[in-house]
Amino acid sequence: MTGTSPHPPQHAPHDQPPPTSGRRAEPAPGRPGPADDRLPYYEDRSPGRGTLPPRAWYPSSDAPRISLHGTWRFRLSPRADAEDEAFARPDFDDKEWHELRVPGTWVLKGFGAPVYTNTAYPFPVDPPRVPDENPTGDHRQVFDLPEGWGEGPAVLHFGGVESCARVWLNGQELGHFKGSRLPHEFEVGQLLRPHGNVLAVRVHQWSAGSYLEDQDQWWLPGIFRNVSVHRRPEGAVADHFVHAGFDHRTGRGTLRVECTPAGRVTVPELGLDLATGESATVPVQPWTAEEPRLYTGELVTSGETVPLRIGFRTVCVEDGLLKVNGRRILLRGVNRHEFHPRYGRTVGPEVMRQDLLMMKQHNINAVRTSHYPPHPAFLDLCDELGLWVVDECDLETHGFGQQGWRDNPVDDPRWEPALLDRARRMVERDKNHPSIVLWSMGNECGTGRGLSAMAGWMRERDPSRPLHYEGDRSCADTDVYSRMYADHAEVTRIGRRTEGPLDDPALDARRRRLPFILCEYAHAMGNGPGGLGEYQRLFETYERCQGGFVWEWIDHGLRQRMPDGEVYHAYGGDFGEELHDGNFVCDGLVLPDRTPSPGLAELKKVVEPVRIEAGPDRDDGRQTVRITNLYDFSGLGHLSFLWRYEVEGDPCGSGWLELPTPPPGESVVTALPDMTEERDEDREALWTVRAVLAGDTAWAPAGHEVAWGQFPAVPRPAYVPLVPTATPRRGEGNVLVLGPGTFDATTGTLDYLDGVRIGGPRLHVWRAPTDNDEAAPWQPGPRPATEWRRLGLHRMRHRVDAVEPDGPALVVRTRVAAAGSPLALRAVYRWTARRELLRLELAVDPEGDWPVPLPRLGVRMAVCGSLGRAQWYGGGPGEGYPDTRAAARTGRWSRSVEELQTPYVRPQENGSRPGVRRLELTRSDGSGLRVEGDPDFAFAARRWSDEELTAARHTPDLRPGDVLWLHLDHAQHGIGSQSCGPGVLPQYRLTAAPARFSFVFASLP
């Protein structure tokens, strides 16, 4: 069962609309507060005036609708009071006005500019007042009714307007509303005429409602969702509520549909024909995110027929766990803002579907609609494709946290009608979606009586769904314990139910009984996030820890063009904002153009619902594979398993595995084929087993890879040291020659390899800081990039102490340090050669007490820019770092230098390929450079230096040079999530310590 709130409801119960075809306009819900009579409507605390009660949304019915999308007439004024209301008259002449596409937002069409802030309000904090400088957009649209429309009731529907709208139709004022991401409707039937209807809408950028919408995103005023007119004939559906529970013990579902006015419900597949309000219990297949079974039905009243898509499922908190259909679920989720790089929050159905298909294809099973209800079409798709949804109210007052939550609206009774209105509009609109398993009251609002009032109303209206809210650590009004960015150690304590106590023993005992969810974790800003695998193991180890939602799905970079036409993505500060939070708006798993980032590939691997790993050896010596079913409900019958045997990346056999399908939570072990004839103890061999879809699904075709595992068949042989056959000798001029290498006799630098110009290699420890290296200013402890700069690691200087032959070797002794610092790295290069091979052994020893980890440890060299293609045997195909390399599969890979780069919105360290045994950089004719490592190494190749990468703010700042900068890294510091979450785990910190590693170089003719 769901938990109960310790605070009683502080408002009247929900009033059903009257049993007629229309709905009366309603006053604001909740307790009346002191009037804001002296304030203009856009500054009063009320949710609005003149709108109809909220109702369930459905995308279509047999009652006519017309869309008002298209080109509207538009005028922008600098102040809310700059223009009179004459523009609302039907005969007003708007020929001199501009044109504006609706849905849309005017600041993305050249009228004003976007503003990005994370938590700070971009105007003086004086609730509910807003500045006189309040850009106001007047919109006009003229429309005709279709033939046969008829007379009688009709509603004008607005899906979303930021932030306050006042509406007129044919010169008659209808009312005004706030609540930007919520639907609002007006009764207009008596005002409509067959031709020449004039709709006038005044939209204010800032309003009292803006104080409730501080949601870490671009502030983008305008009519950004659908506008339409709906015919409401006599007897049409005023509202309906589909109750479709499932009893997992009996396998039967119970259907009951409430409706005003009364009607009938039919579900032909189940043989149901019921009066509304009547219940029926029948055997059904339940709805889950893994198997989203929907039954098609109809709701028929005397005036309208509404299609139904019914999913039977039951959600509860029971035994300290969040359960669906009697089973614990594990949320492999993401937070999702609505965003498009060209259209802002106007996102069409094709893009919504694209997002959800990508999520499903990357093993994501849950979405939190941060921090407002999404377009309802998105929820329809979640029902259809199968995702658990946390539907979040259009509410965040984060900016008040900067003043100790003084004047916070959620603890001020004068704001309570607006808060309840927002809760009511979300729940009523979305209540019929089986995908929604939690209602969320909002985000980062502190605590207060208004939240308790919302919780009371939501529980009374819909007791079938538990409640979520993160901002109250006491969980007084919630049914799950939710946190943001708790580190791994804290999650462990919570999993064990040994977290620190609350002051109130009763609340403490109650919270310890609640399931735990990370509503935000693993901040996906720039390169990262790191530490995903360690979080996932905790979710699988501790039953109470039921997963979470990575922050977030998409980078909110706005598409812009340079004067030369090159495209880039803008972030905070790029539009001249006086207050902004930079690129903190770009923290997604997909880039603004929806290109998947390496972080998305990493998440897919970490959360895969099937684990494939080496099993125990059999008595006959054959290797086995263990396959574990990590689904919550499904077996593995929808998957096929393909094995592959490779020797140093060369395929030597493949086929399909036959195995029983274990139920959720169970494993099977099966033998792999006998590959004795292919076994060579001197060559590394690997098994790769892949789980792929056996047939087409709604979200991916047959053959789509769901999971994979890789493990050794023959371990990598120990490296056999190169036996030198050459000794250093003097060449012409100030050079030393050793085998194929020509060195500067003064610096010991390798200048040529077989006559090909080489610059380096030299010890290199700097990397262009990632967003996680830069870290958030509010994070405890040192910020890595700040400390690196403080120590001068971005400006290290090399001193050569000796260049001397040592038998067959050339030894170069150096000290690397920064000006003003006693800290240093002693680096000894030992070069040997055999015919065409040149070997470098590098010994690095730190001097001094290093207080911070190193960014990287390896060598950098400048090679010919014509070496435009990389082929390697090692980890790939994408980038990977110590704590982000779960998705790196060992194999043979090939990419152009351009394809090796990850174009993060703010340029930073990227593109490293881990676990490399062998690398070739080649020209189009196949000539080039070959590198082998002992041990494995990571490489990156770029047409710009780290210094240029560090200085760049946007991708067009990076201009390809004539040389290729090649990094060969022995180690790198981890990535972590410190741009908002925890830093790098101890095991991934690159501590300054003695290190030994080597490379072998050869030219390719």
Side-chain angles (χ1 to χ4, degrees):
M1 67 179 66
T2 60
T4 57
S5 170
H7 303 298
Q10 299 177 349
H11 59 280
H14 171 75
D15 294 323
Q16 290 285 349
T20 66
S21 60
R23 294 170 293 147
R24 294 194 297 262
E26 62 173 2
R31 299 179 304 179
D36 293 327
D37 293 338
R38 293 185 298 276
L39 298 178
Y41 65 93
Y42 53 85
E43 288 189 320
D44 70 34
R45 296 174 178 83
S46 76
R49 177 180 59 80
T51 56
L52 293 168
R55 60 177 175 133
W57 170 259
Y58 43 96
S60 64
S61 76
D62 63 350
R65 299 181 181 185
I66 57 173
S67 171
L68 301 185
H69 296 184
T71 301
W72 292 37
R73 307 298 290 181
F74 175 75
R75 174 184 66 186
L76 182 64
S77 302
R79 297 166 53 101
D81 57 358
E83 305 286 349
D84 60 25
E85 299 161 19
F87 85 104
R89 297 198 311 261
D91 60 353
F92 182 84
D93 184 0
D94 60 14
K95 291 187 179 61
E96 300 301 317
W97 285 22
H98 300 280
E99 292 185 342
L100 183 71
R101 186 76 182 174
V102 173
T105 179
W106 68 70
V107 295
L108 297 184
K109 295 300 181 181
F111 304 97
V115 175
Y116 167 62
T117 60
N118 171 25
T119 63
Y121 290 102
F123 47 79
V125 180
D126 182 25
R129 307 300 303 278
V130 295
D132 291 341
E133 297 87 353
N134 187 1
T136 296
D138 290 335
H139 303 67
R140 281 171 56 92
Q141 174 72 308
V142 180
F143 65 94
D144 299 331
L145 298 178
E147 292 293 329
W149 178 270
E151 297 182 353
V155 298
L156 172 63
H157 174 91
F158 291 90
V161 183
E162 182 178 327
S163 72
C164 174
R166 187 179 179 188
V167 184
W168 295 261
L169 180 63
N170 293 329
Q172 178 69 46
E173 182 175 356
L174 303 179
H176 55 85
F177 60 85
K178 309 179 192 80
S180 298
R181 283 151 282 277
L182 295 162
H184 295 85
E185 293 181 328
F186 298 96
E187 169 59 51
V188 296
Q190 73 280 11
L191 298 176
L192 290 172
R193 51 200 188 197
H195 302 286
N197 293 281
V198 178
L199 175 60
V201 186
R202 173 163 285 173
V203 180
H204 304 286
Q205 177 160 9
W206 309 122
S207 70
S210 301
Y211 285 100
L212 305 180
E213 296 171 6
D214 188 23
Q215 293 153 322
D216 184 12
Q217 59 179 337
W218 293 101
W219 300 84
L220 300 174
I223 305 171
F224 66 92
R225 284 190 190 155
N226 46 298
V227 183
S228 51
V229 180
H230 302 191
R231 178 86 164 85
R232 309 307 297 145
E234 186 70 26
V237 174
D239 194 17
H240 70 292
F241 196 162
V242 177
H243 304 272
F246 177 74
D247 187 335
H248 65 279
R249 296 160 297 188
T250 65
R252 296 165 71 85
T254 299
L255 177 66
R256 177 172 58 88
V257 179
E258 300 172 6
C259 182
T260 303
R264 297 200 69 80
V265 176
T266 58
V267 187
E269 190 175 354
L270 297 177
L272 295 180
D273 186 347
L274 306 171
T276 54
E278 180 183 351
S279 298
T281 301
V282 293
V284 297
Q285 295 174 282
W287 188 98
T288 69
E290 294 168 8
E291 298 174 1
R293 182 65 162 92
L294 293 173
Y295 290 89
T296 300
E298 281 188 340
L299 168 61
V300 181
T301 65
S302 60
E304 188 177 16
T305 298
V306 174
L308 300 177
R309 296 197 308 173
I310 302 165
F312 291 88
R313 59 104 187 94
T314 296
V315 187
C316 69
V317 172
E318 181 181 64
D319 303 324
L321 300 174
L322 176 64
K323 295 182 179 181
V324 177
N325 301 336
R327 295 185 65 91
R328 170 191 185 260
I329 62 172
L330 182 57
L331 301 170
R332 302 169 167 92
V334 294
N335 286 275
R336 174 188 177 269
H337 270 297
E338 288 186 310
F339 181 77
H340 190 281
R342 296 180 68 181
Y343 309 119
R345 271 187 288 284
T346 301
V347 180
E350 299 83 5
V351 174
M352 295 180 204
R353 182 176 285 274
Q354 176 190 355
D355 280 351
L356 284 172
L357 292 179
M358 279 200 292
M359 290 179 192
K360 293 286 289 188
Q361 291 164 8
H362 287 84
N363 296 329
I364 292 165
N365 73 355
V367 175
R368 174 176 174 235
T369 70
S370 53
H371 297 294
Y372 43 82
H375 192 290
F378 181 81
L379 299 174
D380 287 337
L381 290 169
C382 291
D383 294 342
E384 173 191 331
L385 297 172
L387 282 100
W388 311 117
V389 175
V390 177
D391 198 4
E392 193 150 271
C393 194
D394 189 13
L395 177 61
E396 181 171 339
T397 64
H398 203 167
F400 288 93
Q402 298 185 4
Q403 56 192 50
W405 299 105
R406 177 173 48 83
D407 298 329
N408 186 9
V410 303
D411 200 29
D412 183 336
R414 295 173 295 177
W415 290 90
E416 193 171 299
L419 301 179
L420 288 169
D421 181 72
R422 288 170 184 250
R424 187 174 177 185
R425 289 187 183 280
M426 174 183 72
V427 171
E428 298 295 4
R429 190 197 75 169
D430 296 343
K431 57 183 178 274
N432 294 327
H433 290 281
S435 56
I436 298 173
V437 293
L438 288 168
W439 296 120
S440 179
M441 290 182 284
N443 183 67
E444 292 175 317
C445 296
T447 60
R449 292 162 288 178
L451 289 170
S452 297
M454 293 171 68
W457 183 89
M458 294 163 83
R459 281 201 171 90
E460 185 173 336
R461 179 58 175 149
D462 181 23
S464 72
R465 291 179 175 96
L467 299 187
H468 169 273
Y469 176 67
E470 182 273 339
D472 183 1
R473 295 286 179 90
S474 76
C475 301
D477 294 310
T478 70
D479 301 308
V480 296
Y481 180 22
S482 177
R483 286 291 311 282
M484 292 181 180
Y485 306 108
D487 63 22
H488 301 77
E490 184 177 0
V491 172
T492 299
R493 293 193 295 272
I494 293 171
R496 295 170 176 168
R497 301 185 193 269
T498 59
E499 69 269 26
L502 296 171
D503 293 336
D504 185 318
L507 283 176
D508 182 66
R510 178 179 177 274
R511 192 182 73 177
R512 289 183 195 278
R513 293 193 298 269
L514 298 181
F516 175 70
I517 291 171
L518 278 168
C519 68
E520 295 178 20
Y521 80 111
H523 199 246
M525 187 175 178
N527 187 334
L532 281 171
E534 288 73 19
Y535 273 119
Q536 197 66 18
R537 297 295 86 81
L538 293 175
F539 301 156
E540 295 167 2
T541 300
Y542 298 106
E543 193 177 42
R544 183 191 191 188
C545 298
Q546 295 192 239
F549 299 85
V550 171
W551 186 269
E552 65 161 306
W553 175 243
I554 189 169
D555 286 343
H556 301 198
L558 291 170
R559 192 174 189 268
Q560 302 289 299
R561 285 189 181 274
M562 300 287 285
D564 63 2
E566 189 169 356
V567 171
Y568 70 100
H569 291 99
Y571 48 78
D574 286 338
F575 298 96
E577 304 103 302
E578 60 184 7
L579 186 68
H580 66 86
D581 285 291
N583 69 313
F584 201 71
V585 76
C586 296
D587 45 15
L589 291 166
V590 299
L591 303 180
D593 63 1
R594 286 179 160 77
T595 298
S597 78
L600 183 58
E602 181 79 358
L603 180 65
K604 176 184 179 179
K605 174 59 181 169
V606 165
V607 303
E608 59 190 8
V610 181
R611 180 160 303 136
I612 302 170
E613 55 196 345
D617 289 341
R618 301 199 327 174
D619 292 340
D620 60 7
R622 287 174 61 183
Q623 290 182 278
T624 65
V625 59
R626 175 182 285 108
I627 296 173
T628 304
N629 181 354
L630 298 176
Y631 285 105
D632 295 324
F633 299 92
S634 298
L636 302 183
H638 63 295
L639 299 175
S640 297
F641 292 85
L642 175 67
W643 64 269
R644 185 180 179 95
Y645 187 88
E646 294 178 321
V647 177
E648 293 190 352
D650 294 325
C652 295
S654 63
W656 299 97
L657 286 177
E658 297 292 334
L659 69 156
T661 60
E666 300 293 328
S667 300
V668 295
V669 175
T670 190
L672 291 162
D674 185 355
M675 300 300 292
T676 303
E677 294 184 2
E678 303 293 338
R679 190 176 181 90
D680 181 347
E681 298 298 332
D682 293 328
R683 302 182 71 201
E684 180 181 23
L686 296 171
W687 292 102
T688 304
V689 178
R690 303 167 56 229
V692 301
L693 289 178
D696 293 343
T697 69
W699 48 271
H704 167 77
E705 184 178 276
V706 172
W708 61 273
Q710 192 175 62
F711 46 91
V714 178
R716 185 184 181 192
Y719 184 81
V720 178
L722 180 149
V723 178
T725 60
T727 57
R729 60 182 176 82
R730 284 282 178 179
E732 296 182 9
N734 189 37
V735 300
L736 292 169
V737 178
L738 177 62
T742 302
F743 296 80
D744 185 298
T746 301
T747 65
T749 302
L750 175 65
D751 287 338
Y752 294 91
L753 181 68
D754 269 343
V756 177
R757 178 70 181 173
I758 297 287
R762 290 210 303 178
L763 182 69
H764 191 67
V765 298
W766 179 251
R767 73 182 184 194
T770 68
D771 290 313
N772 289 303
D773 292 336
E774 297 287 6
W778 59 83
Q779 291 284 26
R783 301 166 64 188
T786 300
E787 292 300 295
W788 294 340
R789 291 189 182 96
R790 182 179 66 82
L791 295 178
L793 300 190
H794 60 311
R795 49 179 176 81
M796 300 289 271
R797 296 291 179 261
H798 296 249
R799 186 187 76 208
V800 177
D801 290 336
V803 178
E804 56 193 17
D806 181 10
L810 175 65
V811 176
V812 182
R813 304 181 188 279
T814 68
R815 185 178 189 271
V816 183
S821 173
L823 301 176
L825 298 168
R826 290 281 183 178
V828 178
Y829 303 74
R830 181 180 179 84
W831 294 95
T832 54
R834 188 185 69 193
R835 294 188 297 275
E836 75 284 358
L837 302 178
L838 188 63
R839 175 180 170 86
L840 167 64
E841 298 176 66
L842 189 56
V844 181
D845 291 284
E847 286 186 359
D849 184 12
W850 286 75
V852 297
L854 297 173
R856 72 182 339 136
L857 182 65
V859 297
R860 180 174 71 165
M861 51 200 297
V863 300
C864 179
S866 62
L867 300 176
R869 188 154 202 90
Q871 301 172 73
W872 72 98
Y873 172 49
E879 74 181 30
Y881 291 81
D883 54 350
T884 67
R885 58 178 296 178
R889 191 178 320 190
T890 301
R892 287 194 177 186
W893 311 103
S894 178
R895 294 290 187 274
S896 71
V897 168
E898 288 68 31
E899 291 170 329
L900 292 174
Q901 317 309 312
T902 302
Y904 294 114
V905 173
R906 185 190 71 80
Q908 57 197 269
E909 166 64 34
N910 73 91
S912 181
R913 268 56 179 185
V916 176
R917 285 76 155 154
R918 184 168 60 251
L919 166 67
E920 294 179 354
L921 289 176
T922 60
R923 303 177 180 88
S924 57
D925 62 2
S927 65
L929 174 68
R930 176 183 172 121
V931 184
E932 292 189 15
D934 176 30
D936 299 345
F937 62 97
F939 88 92
R942 309 186 181 106
R943 298 195 182 278
W944 37 78
S945 68
D946 272 355
E947 292 77 7
E948 292 169 307
L949 189 58
T950 300
R953 293 187 66 251
H954 297 94
T955 51
D957 297 336
L958 297 170
R959 298 296 180 180
D962 295 332
V963 301
L964 188 68
W965 293 93
L966 175 62
H967 292 267
L968 305 174
D969 289 323
H970 172 63
Q972 282 222 27
H973 186 58
I975 297 297
S977 188
Q978 205 174 351
S979 54
C980 191
V984 175
L985 287 166
Q987 61 267 37
Y988 301 120
R989 291 170 57 88
L990 180 53
T991 302
R996 306 292 185 268
F997 51 96
S998 67
F999 304 101
V1000 174
F1001 301 92
S1003 63
L1004 297 172

